[in-house]
Amino acid sequence: MTSLKLTAEPVPVRVYPAGNELASLLGFNGISPGPEIRAMQGQRISVDFENGLNESSSIHWHGIHLENAMDGVPVLTQAAVEPGETFNYSFDLANPGTYWYHAHHRSWEQVAKGLYGPLIVEESAPPPVDQDITVVLDDWRISQSGELLGDFGNLHDFSHAGRLGTYASALFSKDKVRLGDRVRLRLINASTARMFDLEIGGGSGMIVAHDGMPLASPSPLRDSPLLLAPAQRTDVILDATGPISFTLLTNQGPYDLGTIAAGEGSRVRIDSPIGPLPGSRRPSADFESALSATLAMQGGAMGGRHGGDDIWAFNDYSGLPDEPWQRYELGSTARINLRNDTAFPHGIHLHGHHFYELNEDGSPGHFRDTTLVMQNQSREILCVFDNPGKWLLHCHTLGHQASGMKTWIEVF
Ligand code: C2O
Ligand code: CU
């Protein structure tokens, strides 16, 4: 059992290297991002969360298949943790992979201020690598002098692409490798709104996991687009042939996010092919008996009318309904069509589960907890509801979630 304490508190951080001021962030145990939690697959973890802020909060363990009561969603699964209070989160870490934890109360502001951290569950038989580096991607709305701009929750951001920043960066848990090292990169998009369209230079390798779940056949980094919606994670294993650079591709051209330096060469090279990561438990997909449902995303700027009473809606309803959108019997399989009828992309996250993204031909593709659906497109997912409880389903552009784009599912 791994036990630790996480205290949420305000922390000043130099986010913007060119500015003279520190940004007033929120963090855990004096740092933002909060401490990287590492534990072994199959372990149980116990976290005493102390709220040292002057506002309510809670922690959600994004992507972990845990008991519903530990999911950290105020109102739905627990009462918000009030200032000065403590709440114990304990759960088993069945699946290895790259996860993260983040505040789930006023998350459009608390997460935007840095109240999150990486959660890494190590494989009991990990793949051979020389370096294992966590890369946290974020996007900050910051002044020239380095202060975080305070215009949280403005409706223009909510109704468009969310709170986009003025400065984006990649933070590395380690900033130097040796030439020839085999490096595992664990990318986490911790931003509340930025779609990270990435290019990684300085090595060749493979994409080996999405949202913590291994790809059955890894795909070469060179010919696979790397696009991470907010909350999505991707693991890459590459052999460093130079400094490892991270570039955000934007309409205005490439934007440098940072570089991991490469020093003197390593003496012993790992030259086995980069293969699939050891498997995680995943349910077999039962198409025959799958129930079907459609979730239409509606609203936003240029999105036309809908029946909800806020900016965004799912199926003509804005915000959390009193009754779940769907109730599924434990163990049942559902095929859900996520239809984006809006002018913006949305990364849709289901709590407590992973689901298959279905390919065009209907075959199961990646197994994820957050799926990106582009504007005016739709994507089918197949989910085996094997975890009882009340589970949130929402857009991870957190301003969209705050202004209507959320619902919930009950598994009983
Ligand atoms: Cu990553 Cu509802 O959260
Ligand atoms: Cu959205």
Side-chain angles (χ1 to χ4, degrees):
M1 169 119 126
T2 301
S3 305
L4 65 141
K5 184 170 183 187
L6 285 180
T7 304
E9 54 201 1
V11 288
V13 175
R14 184 171 306 278
V15 170
Y16 185 47
N20 317 310
E21 303 286 340
L22 302 181
S24 306
L25 302 190
L26 303 180
F28 292 102
N29 301 357
I31 52 175
S32 171
E36 176 169 301
I37 303 175
R38 270 193 180 251
M40 189 64 83
Q41 161 183 20
Q43 264 190 348
R44 191 167 176 80
I45 182 172
S46 164
V47 180
D48 280 321
F49 167 54
E50 185 189 342
N51 185 358
L53 307 174
N54 55 20
E55 55 186 310
S56 313
S57 195
S58 71
I59 304 183
H60 170 57
W61 311 89
H62 186 117
I64 303 291
H65 296 202
L66 37 56
E67 279 162 71
N68 195 236
M70 298 289 116
D71 197 39
V73 181
V75 185
L76 203 59
T77 71
Q78 70 169 109
V81 183
E82 298 305 327
E85 281 185 356
T86 296
F87 186 92
N88 176 268
Y89 291 99
S90 16
F91 45 91
D92 294 320
L93 299 168
N95 298 314
T98 302
Y99 301 96
W100 66 305
Y101 59 95
H102 63 78
H104 214 296
H105 176 79
R106 292 171 62 85
S107 56
W108 44 276
E109 178 169 345
Q110 293 187 355
V111 175
K113 286 182 171 173
L115 200 50
Y116 58 73
L119 169 55
I120 308 300
V121 185
E122 294 176 357
E123 292 93 358
S124 31
V129 294
D130 299 302
Q131 312 281 353
D132 184 328
I133 303 179
T134 305
V135 180
V136 177
L137 304 164
D138 207 345
D139 177 43
W140 305 93
R141 188 173 290 182
I142 218 152
S143 72
Q144 282 303 315
S145 58
E147 287 145 324
L148 205 56
L149 297 179
D151 57 342
F152 293 96
N154 85 60
L155 298 183
H156 184 274
D157 287 339
F158 280 9
S159 62
H160 289 74
R163 183 183 166 87
L164 293 173
T166 53
Y167 169 73
S169 67
L171 278 183
F172 309 118
S173 62
K174 202 170 176 202
D175 55 12
K176 195 168 177 202
V177 299
R178 296 166 304 183
L179 284 170
D181 271 353
R182 180 157 290 182
V183 183
R184 179 174 185 165
L185 300 169
R186 300 171 179 272
L187 308 169
I188 302 171
N189 182 352
S191 77
T192 63
R194 177 71 67 184
M195 304 289 159
F196 274 90
D197 191 354
L198 279 184
E199 200 169 80
I200 299 179
S204 64
M206 300 283 201
I207 296 175
V208 293
H210 287 307
D211 294 352
M213 293 291 167
L215 304 194
S217 36
S219 55
L221 189 56
R222 195 179 311 279
D223 28 69
S224 319
L226 208 45
L227 176 60
L228 281 84
Q232 288 188 319
R233 288 90 61 213
T234 292
D235 285 35
V236 167
I237 296 181
L238 58 74
D239 295 321
T241 53
I244 306 172
S245 61
F246 295 80
T247 307
L248 172 64
L249 305 174
T250 75
N251 294 335
Q252 290 90 264
Y255 180 97
D256 175 26
L257 295 168
T259 299
I260 299 173
E264 213 172 300
S266 59
R267 282 167 302 142
V268 187
R269 300 230 169 157
I270 301 173
D271 51 14
S272 53
I274 300 169
L277 295 176
S280 283
R281 268 192 315 174
R282 56 174 78 185
S284 57
D286 173 9
F287 284 81
E288 299 283 283
S289 66
L291 304 159
S292 42
T294 294
L295 190 73
M297 301 162 221
Q298 304 161 313
M302 302 162 291
R305 286 172 180 277
H306 59 75
D309 60 5
D310 208 334
I311 297 171
W312 302 92
F314 279 143
N315 294 356
D316 286 307
Y317 195 93
S318 301
L320 267 201
D322 293 334
E323 294 294 314
W325 169 56
Q326 298 286 345
R327 297 183 78 236
Y328 291 114
E329 221 174 296
L330 187 63
S332 57
T333 301
R335 183 177 182 137
I336 300 174
N337 182 24
L338 301 173
R339 197 180 78 210
N340 185 346
D341 294 339
T342 79
F344 295 88
H346 304 285
I348 304 294
H349 171 48
L350 172 65
H351 284 218
H353 297 79
H354 278 64
F355 48 79
Y356 294 94
E357 292 181 334
L358 297 184
N359 299 320
E360 298 271 294
D361 66 358
S363 62
H366 296 143
F367 193 54
R368 310 201 66 138
D369 59 48
T370 306
T371 185
L372 176 58
V373 188
M374 300 308 286
Q375 52 273 36
N376 301 309
Q377 293 190 7
S378 59
R379 161 163 283 140
E380 283 202 300
I381 60 169
L382 189 83
C383 185
V384 179
F385 288 97
D386 56 3
N387 197 356
K390 299 173 173 181
W391 303 108
L392 211 59
L393 175 65
H394 65 88
C395 179
H396 226 286
T397 292
L398 296 174
H400 294 175
Q401 179 202 7
S403 54
M405 204 176 255
K406 62 174 154 217
T407 190
W408 60 289
I409 285 172
E410 183 163 28
V411 181
F412 66 101

